[in-house]
Amino acid sequence: MTGEFTGAPRDVAIVACAQSDHRRRTDELSEVEMLMPVLHEVLERTGLTTADIGFTCSGSSDYLAGRAFSFTLALDGVGAWPPISESHVEMDGAWALYEAWIKLLTGEADTALVYAYGKSSPGSVRDVLTRQLDPYYAAPLWPDSVALAALQAQALLDAGHADEPALAAVAARSRDAAADNAHAQLRGARPQGEYVVRPLRTGDCPPVGDGAVAVVLSAGDRARALCARPAWIRGMDHRVEAHSLGVRDLTDSPSTRLAAERAGAFVRPVDTAELHAPFTSQEVVLRRALRLDDGVLVNPSGGALAANPVMAAGLIRVAEAAGRVHRGASDRALAHATSGPCLQQNLVAVLEGESRV
Amino acid sequence: MSEAATAKECVAVVGIGQTKHVAARRDVSIAGLVREAARRALDDAELTWADVDAVVIGKAPDFFEGVMMPELYLADALGAVGKPLLRVHTAGSVGGSTALVAANLVASRVQRTVLTVAFEKQSESNAMWGLSLPIPFQQPLLAGAGGFFAPHIRAYMRRSGAPDSVGSLVAYKDRRNALKNPYAHLHEHDITLEKVQSSPMLWDPVRYSETCPSSDGACAMVLTDRAGAARAPRPPAWVHGGAMRSEPTMFAGKDFVSPRAGKDCAADVYRQAGIGDPRRQIDAVEMYVPFSWYEPMWLENLGFAPEGEGWKLTESGVTELDGDLPVNMSGGVLSTNPIGASGMIRFAEAALQVRGLAGEHQVDGARRALGHAYGGGSQFFAMWLVGAEPPTT
């Protein structure tokens, strides 16, 4: 088995990002209305119009919208006229970014627009996510996402990798960091709260909310023309694990480790990591899998504990990491996205700014 | 075009697998269904699960089976554990889009051998109501896809002056072709033109026999690079061009009869493949025809006939299995429609033709074939052109 990058890589970078203010509910907005300002903002930042974009790719889920083909309505908002080269993943937008990156690597496009959105507020997202489970054996029991994460957290505590104060410290650090993030849903210090499902307390769980994110990718000199300090994608990979929780070691994330290895994350240390860890316990698992020591700044945005719009939260991690590179706050950043129960599927991207003279 | 464009890796189809499509596969789970197609594709390529570097899976809306992001649960069944697994969803065109995303993984040299799978198990729900969005997202009484497309078919008939009989000719041809395809869902051994023409009217002018069935089924392909193709036990099909195009669902300037996204998509594929005259240079076409009248409509949209004259090709027998531009040799979507897989079946059947492995529905000497898929409100298009020889440029 190969799978390693064998060709001459074409340099591709993230040149602009935009996101909505993530909120508990947006009853007054349709998904398209929530997304439109974000699309306009990301294009304005580069001075590009829809006609300049060679490939468009999005991530979303019909199950959040409660109707089939919900992404078709968002496409109208993009303004796909004259017709555009476009695709969609029914996954977090981080995987749409991966599809767009591949497209740019083939040389068939030089610039790509990637967006994702999710409105968790219209339904009970804990219940909705149970529909992701094996439909014959697990889903009929309706085990919800917090209960499954609690199983993982308890396994972690039992293995001695963390204790409840350590989880509380993750929550406190994340929410303090979010104080500086104008887009975050929960900002500033918060009490750890009561147990939701033992051993997870309110503070260990992500908020439910709505939000959207968009990024623009470009290749080579085009990227340099569009952005003063592009966030070059040095590598990106994703891996999936078995679905059944019974056959996985929930205290580890081998798929994250493998994706990081293939993305080149271990070649040199990173200075920043944006981890898509909706639960405090999952940050503990991911830090170990990614070998992140205390010298690495983890989730300076506040992470998914401060805002977790489902289907957008992974791409938001990439956007936050890229934003730090753009601003010169990071030279080499890792971005991570997850999907599925208890970190079943994981994506890692390594972003770098060109060294400043 | 940038420098990297010429450095693309060639992509070859070396394995194809389908299930026998039926109304209800009560003997298998969703996992069992996709694994059956994937296993057959690997057997065709004489490869094992371990030879696969990545898996790309597609299907139409998750609501059809009631499983949100089913790729998560299917990871084990598709041998994807420890590998990249990507899930594509572009409405009815998804089977084609999925194959193109998989092909790009090889073309970019990020992966060498990719398994791509598309499926639908429609028996686990009711697709007509799955496609009928709740009010206020859609007007009342617009039941199912037929209700959406029938007015556009009438517009085509009025615009082209096509006689009423053309639709039934397409259905009669496709259902006869399906008799030669062991995987086709509908095997109507007693089909006659009169039976098609006397079948009940569903959405005027679309009759029952001019409508696709609801099928359970899956289709899979193994795509690989030049080195992988050299090791393949059977002739590969080479990808000469592939493209996707999308346009908005509804707006004042949209031509529902011949959408510009379809024309642009075909033009891009022909440019990549060096096709200047599709009518002469392409030997066989698998196009997405869920309602019979879409054959003449797409013949025009894809550049095989001038505007308003697609129906003349159909009426004169050009698109018959033994005509000089055979269309839907496999029986097409009219005979088999596991929605999420239907686009990939078109792509796979085009590949089977140029590999010379299409069995009883093989077109003699097919060297270049087009696979076509569309979806949404005629707004998403995916196409590829495959050849018996590797691309020269």
Side-chain angles (χ1 to χ4, degrees):
Chain A
M1 175 167 144
T2 57
E4 252 166 320
F5 198 82
T6 51
R10 192 182 187 213
D11 285 332
V12 175
I14 295 172
V15 296
C17 313
Q19 57 181 301
S20 62
D21 292 342
H22 310 298
R23 294 192 278 147
R24 177 60 187 88
R25 29 187 359 109
T26 51
D27 295 345
E28 73 286 8
L29 297 175
S30 70
E31 287 164 320
V32 186
E33 288 166 328
M34 188 174 72
L35 177 65
M36 287 288 280
V38 176
L39 289 176
H40 287 157
E41 187 182 333
V42 82
L43 290 175
E44 271 164 26
R45 290 199 171 168
T46 52
L48 297 172
T49 66
T50 311
D52 301 317
I53 301 293
F55 184 63
T56 300
C57 198
S58 62
S60 67
S61 167
D62 281 349
Y63 258 80
L64 293 176
R67 62 178 183 271
F69 301 128
S70 63
F71 62 92
T72 63
L73 304 173
L75 187 66
D76 293 8
V78 172
W81 189 261
I84 59 173
S85 174
E86 187 264 347
S87 186
H88 172 260
V89 297
E90 190 83 357
M91 307 175 81
D92 186 286
W95 278 266
L97 176 82
Y98 180 83
E99 187 182 326
W101 178 63
I102 295 289
K103 181 81 172 179
L104 264 53
L105 289 180
T106 66
E108 288 175 17
D110 293 329
T111 304
L113 170 67
V114 179
Y115 62 88
Y117 56 90
K119 280 185 68 152
S120 309
S121 64
S124 161
V125 76
R126 281 172 73 172
D127 290 338
V128 169
L129 290 175
T130 65
R131 304 300 90 194
Q132 281 188 340
L133 302 170
D134 175 319
Y136 305 103
Y137 296 104
L141 305 173
W142 296 83
D144 74 64
S145 50
V146 179
L148 294 176
L151 276 178
Q152 185 172 31
Q154 189 60 51
L156 206 64
L157 300 188
D158 292 346
H161 295 322
D163 52 24
E164 290 195 38
L167 299 186
V170 170
R173 200 209 67 244
S174 297
R175 296 210 168 127
D176 283 346
D180 297 326
N181 178 358
H183 300 294
Q185 184 178 331
L186 299 182
R187 298 168 63 197
R190 292 203 164 239
Q192 185 65 349
E194 299 299 313
Y195 286 113
V196 183
V197 180
R198 273 179 194 269
L200 297 177
R201 294 172 182 271
T202 321
D204 295 305
C205 303
V208 174
D210 305 345
V213 58
V215 306
V216 172
L217 292 176
S218 200
D221 288 339
R222 185 100 173 101
R224 292 185 184 90
L226 292 169
C227 178
R229 188 172 142 88
W232 298 101
I233 300 175
R234 295 305 183 205
M236 182 158 32
D237 194 276
H238 57 96
R239 301 280 154 168
V240 71
E241 293 177 36
H243 181 65
S244 170
L245 302 181
V247 300
R248 283 197 260 153
D249 174 0
L250 295 180
T251 67
D252 195 9
S253 183
S255 58
T256 300
R257 190 180 302 113
L258 184 57
E261 197 180 302
R262 298 293 178 137
F266 300 136
V267 175
R268 278 194 313 286
V270 297
D271 54 50
T272 307
E274 277 285 341
L275 306 181
H276 184 195
F279 297 91
T280 52
S281 44
Q282 293 179 340
E283 185 183 301
V284 177
V285 175
L286 291 169
R287 272 178 180 267
R288 289 181 70 241
L290 291 166
R291 304 173 203 155
L292 301 177
D293 59 31
D294 291 342
V296 180
L297 184 62
V298 173
N299 287 347
S301 67
L305 287 165
N308 188 41
V310 179
M311 298 301 139
L315 185 58
I316 291 170
R317 303 281 72 74
V318 183
E320 289 287 355
R324 288 186 69 81
V325 173
H326 293 160
R327 295 193 297 274
S330 169
D331 289 325
R332 183 171 158 87
L334 180 149
H336 160 268
T338 195
S339 176
C342 300
L343 302 174
Q344 188 195 345
Q345 189 174 21
N346 296 283
L347 176 146
V348 172
V350 177
L351 308 175
E352 280 185 356
E354 260 154 355
S355 53
R356 280 150 293 181
V357 197
Chain B
M1 225 27 189
S2 54
E3 194 188 326
T6 54
K8 262 199 303 183
E9 176 61 40
C10 291
V11 183
V13 184
V14 294
I16 294 173
Q18 288 182 58
T19 58
K20 164 70 178 108
H21 307 287
V22 294
R25 277 294 299 271
R26 300 198 197 286
D27 60 320
V28 288
S29 63
I30 297 170
L33 185 77
V34 294
R35 193 173 168 91
E36 197 173 289
R39 183 66 262 175
R40 284 176 185 162
L42 288 171
D43 287 349
D44 183 14
E46 292 183 15
L47 294 176
T48 68
W49 298 101
D51 297 314
V52 173
D53 298 324
V55 179
V56 183
I57 182 168
K59 66 168 259 75
D62 291 3
F63 281 110
F64 280 4
E65 291 85 5
V67 187
M68 180 185 186
M69 300 163 77
E71 70 278 4
L72 294 166
Y73 136 73
L74 293 172
D76 309 60
L78 290 171
V81 172
K83 297 173 187 175
L85 172 64
L86 200 59
R87 157 73 192 286
V88 180
H89 178 13
T90 63
S93 67
V94 65
S97 307
T98 305
L100 292 174
V101 172
N104 276 343
L105 284 172
V106 177
S108 66
R109 297 195 172 87
V110 170
Q111 305 294 349
R112 287 205 163 132
T113 299
V114 178
L115 172 69
T116 186
V117 191
F119 77 96
E120 205 72 72
K121 202 160 187 293
Q122 291 202 55
S123 65
E124 306 213 357
S125 78
N126 182 321
M128 191 179 101
W129 295 112
L131 287 170
S132 304
L133 306 182
I135 298 162
F137 301 111
Q138 186 167 291
Q139 56 271 52
L141 295 178
L142 207 159
F148 183 87
F149 291 114
H152 308 313
I153 292 171
R154 282 200 297 275
Y156 171 74
M157 294 169 76
R158 190 171 59 246
R159 201 191 278 188
S160 67
D164 294 357
S165 56
V166 173
S168 54
L169 293 175
V170 175
Y172 179 51
K173 164 182 72 81
D174 285 3
R175 295 278 163 83
R176 277 180 293 131
N177 288 351
L179 294 171
K180 297 176 185 294
N181 173 6
Y183 295 108
H185 174 177
L186 296 183
H187 281 158
E188 297 182 332
H189 293 279
D190 53 352
I191 188 79
T192 64
L193 186 57
E194 291 66 36
K195 279 191 177 174
V196 174
Q197 288 168 340
S198 61
S199 66
M201 188 64 81
L202 291 187
W203 301 278
D204 194 358
V206 180
R207 293 182 180 277
Y208 178 77
S209 290
E210 298 176 64
T211 305
C212 52
S214 280
S215 314
D216 284 0
C219 179
M221 289 190 283
V222 178
L223 307 182
T224 190
D225 58 9
R226 219 177 246 279
R231 290 191 295 269
R234 276 174 277 279
W238 296 92
V239 180
H240 288 235
M244 295 184 230
R245 284 295 183 282
S246 310
E247 66 183 43
T249 323
M250 294 187 201
F251 70 106
K254 177 157 175 144
D255 184 349
F256 279 97
V257 172
S258 187
R260 180 165 163 193
K263 290 181 185 173
D264 289 1
C265 190
D268 192 1
V269 170
Y270 298 158
R271 178 189 57 76
Q272 292 171 38
I275 300 283
D277 182 355
R279 174 79 175 84
R280 301 275 169 271
Q281 290 176 277
I282 294 173
D283 303 317
V285 186
E286 281 281 341
M287 65 169 73
Y288 204 105
V289 177
F291 302 100
S292 61
W293 279 91
Y294 272 87
E295 176 179 298
M297 290 164 73
W298 294 146
L299 281 169
E300 296 170 25
N301 189 248
L302 295 171
F304 291 106
E307 200 169 312
E309 298 193 5
W311 63 270
K312 292 177 185 170
L313 294 190
T314 298
E315 194 179 48
S316 62
V318 166
T319 60
E320 293 271 351
L321 190 52
D322 58 358
D324 86 287
L325 183 69
V327 174
N328 290 333
M329 302 70 68
S330 66
V333 180
L334 274 180
S335 306
T336 305
N337 190 30
I339 297 177
S342 287
M344 190 172 288
I345 297 170
R346 306 280 72 69
F347 277 43
E349 285 286 348
L352 278 177
Q353 290 289 339
V354 299
R355 297 175 77 199
L357 298 175
E360 270 193 79
H361 61 287
Q362 176 71 46
V363 173
D364 282 343
R367 309 293 292 169
R368 274 183 294 235
L370 183 71
H372 161 271
Y374 87 106
S378 295
Q379 72 195 108
F380 301 111
F381 293 84
M383 303 171 202
W384 81 3
L385 193 127
V386 284
E389 303 294 333
T392 49
T393 50

